[in-house]
Amino acid sequence: QVQLVESGGGLVEAGGSLRLSCAGSGRTFSTYAMGWFRQAPGKKREFVAAISWGGRRTLYADSVKGRFTISRDNAASTMYLQMNSLKPEDTAVYYCAAGGMGPIEQDYDVWGQGTQVTVSS
């Protein structure tokens, strides 16, 4: 089973950009559809974006559409989330997950440990 490790979080000013990475271990990375979720303090975890195993299909939450871009490099066993025009409301712990292709958490089998993104106003 694939294991996932996120990186790239940090503190950024509103309007700035960050790129999150999700590195997968194991030879099965390319067989998984994958997604990004986030959880802000005091709120439920919510869907951000998803990408098919080959990278040709993507799906975004309305709140990030046009600002965030999900991509993957199967040769490097890595998925990315490019976040532009960041807003304070994007502040959350961001998680990558494998096994699903959509907004339903229960569809995903494997989760990373999360990386903190903080956007200052």
Side-chain angles (χ1 to χ4, degrees):
Q1 191 178 35
V2 69
Q3 293 180 314
L4 305 174
V5 178
E6 302 96 333
S7 62
L11 174 64
V12 64
E13 292 184 350
S17 298
L18 280 175
R19 187 176 81 156
L20 305 183
S21 298
C22 174
S25 64
R27 291 175 288 180
T28 60
F29 180 89
S30 63
T31 66
Y32 286 89
M34 300 187 68
W36 288 97
F37 287 75
R38 67 186 182 186
Q39 187 167 21
K43 295 189 176 181
K44 292 175 60 176
R45 190 156 57 184
E46 65 175 5
F47 171 74
V48 175
I51 189 166
S52 61
W53 66 268
R56 283 179 286 187
R57 285 194 302 134
T58 57
L59 182 67
Y60 294 93
D62 288 343
S63 59
V64 306
K65 203 172 293 184
R67 299 188 299 122
F68 291 10
T69 302
I70 189 171
S71 62
R72 66 190 297 165
D73 180 349
N74 285 338
S77 297
T78 304
M79 177 179 66
Y80 303 98
L81 186 68
Q82 178 67 44
M83 306 186 294
N84 298 328
S85 302
L86 283 161
K87 305 174 182 180
E89 50 264 44
D90 294 317
T91 295
V93 176
Y94 283 71
Y95 299 89
C96 66
M101 178 61 199
I104 301 174
E105 286 188 47
Q106 289 77 7
D107 290 344
Y108 294 82
D109 304 311
V110 183
W111 292 80
Q113 84 290 349
T115 186
Q116 177 71 47
V117 171
T118 303
V119 184
S120 63
S121 57

